[in-house]
Amino acid sequence: MEPEEKVFRRGRRIAVDVGDARIGVAVCDPDGLIATPVETVPAGGRSQARLKAIVEEYDAVEVVVGLPRSLNGKEGPAAAKVREYAGRLAGLLHPVGVRLVDERMTTVTAAAGLRASGRSSKKGRSVIDQAAAVVILQSALETERVSGRAPGESVEPVN
């Protein structure tokens, strides 16, 4: 029996790191090789409209939303908020798909990267969410590349 061929879907993906105050946004190239920061969107009333504009601007094929979990994998109130947000976003972006992926430790990883580049936490606040979105997207791309399957779970649209 021959090994199953792994397939990587081509197309730009957008990743979002949803927070109470800000939403970090990152995008990858069409070949899914590297994720780069895009912007930080203020959380609140107009955030989803801005995310829709970004998805359209980059002609994204999918949006990856980081799902916060505790270190033991459990979901708390923050995860419930993100699930609700992702459902509304999926309804707004349909037919562009929205997926939830595990984002444990992404902000910690992003903050460490910023510190290593010489940025202080205070100066890095404006980009920490973007950096976390980059970590989320790069991890999702690598998972798909290795497994040949889309990472995380698909989100059903909510209107």
Side-chain angles (χ1 to χ4, degrees):
M1 180 151 104
E2 292 193 31
E4 184 180 319
E5 184 180 330
K6 294 178 182 166
V7 178
F8 184 84
R9 302 167 299 145
R10 203 169 176 322
R12 289 185 185 271
R13 291 153 181 90
I14 301 287
V16 295
D17 178 44
V18 180
D20 289 332
R22 294 171 306 278
I23 299 168
V25 183
V27 65
C28 71
D29 62 284
D31 292 323
L33 297 174
I34 192 150
T36 56
V38 173
E39 71 180 78
T40 301
V41 176
R46 303 266 323 132
S47 66
Q48 291 198 344
R50 180 62 192 132
L51 291 174
K52 181 178 182 182
I54 292 169
V55 166
E56 290 169 351
E57 177 183 340
Y58 285 96
D59 196 25
V61 298
E62 186 172 67
V63 175
V64 177
V65 179
L67 181 64
R69 291 186 169 140
S70 65
L71 289 178
N72 67 7
K74 295 205 186 294
E75 293 184 19
K81 283 182 187 177
V82 168
R83 281 186 179 280
E84 181 184 328
Y85 188 90
R88 290 193 320 267
L89 187 61
L92 181 66
L93 297 178
H94 186 76
V96 174
V98 175
R99 302 188 71 75
L100 289 167
V101 298
D102 190 334
E103 71 145 337
R104 277 178 272 191
M105 303 299 288
T106 56
T107 301
V108 172
T109 303
L114 288 175
R115 275 193 309 280
S117 71
R119 286 194 174 203
S120 71
S121 295
K122 236 179 201 178
K123 289 180 184 173
R125 266 190 214 136
S126 62
V127 294
I128 189 76
D129 301 298
Q130 291 175 43
V134 166
V135 172
I136 290 166
L137 185 52
Q138 203 66 57
S139 175
L141 293 169
E142 185 61 25
T143 297
E144 183 172 344
R145 196 173 287 106
V146 168
S147 71
R149 292 187 309 272
E153 61 184 88
S154 185
V155 176
E156 290 299 317
V158 174
N159 294 326

